[in-house]
Amino acid sequence: MDIKSLLEEDGFICKYQSNTYDGTYSSPCPSCGGTDRFRCFPNNGNGGNYLCQKCKKTGNVLRYLTEYRGIDYSAASALSGIII
């Protein structure tokens, strides 16, 4: 599961921005509500990464699941298929 898919499951529309990191997408930020400065990079290893250029939050799929969906780390690991 990648970060773009998670965002879309949560109702965010991800718009293609560039080919950087094999695809960069923008969407509203799930944390600060900024409308156009949240970036996700779904092809950037282990499901990708994200960053908000407004509130400066960054992370990976596991952090997204624990911080924004509120699930614990072991459940996030199982859901994402990422075992660290």
Side-chain angles (χ1 to χ4, degrees):
M1 180 162 291
D2 64 60
I3 190 69
K4 181 177 175 283
S5 298
L6 291 172
L7 286 161
E8 290 172 342
E9 281 181 10
D10 291 342
F12 295 98
I13 296 171
C14 299
K15 297 179 183 176
Y16 178 81
Q17 291 294 310
S18 74
N19 197 34
T20 306
Y21 303 114
D22 292 325
T24 299
Y25 298 82
S26 67
S27 72
C29 179
S31 180
C32 72
T35 58
D36 64 350
R37 297 193 182 185
F38 188 83
R39 300 288 186 263
C40 72
F41 316 97
N43 302 311
N44 196 11
N46 283 335
N49 300 301
Y50 64 86
L51 73 91
C52 179
Q53 296 171 319
K54 184 176 180 184
C55 69
K56 307 298 183 203
K57 291 210 175 190
T58 65
N60 60 16
V61 170
L62 294 174
R63 185 167 187 170
Y64 180 86
L65 290 168
T66 58
E67 195 167 310
Y68 297 113
R69 288 199 179 174
I71 62 178
D72 67 38
Y73 189 83
S74 61
S77 179
L79 179 64
S80 67
I82 299 171
I83 299 173
I84 297 178

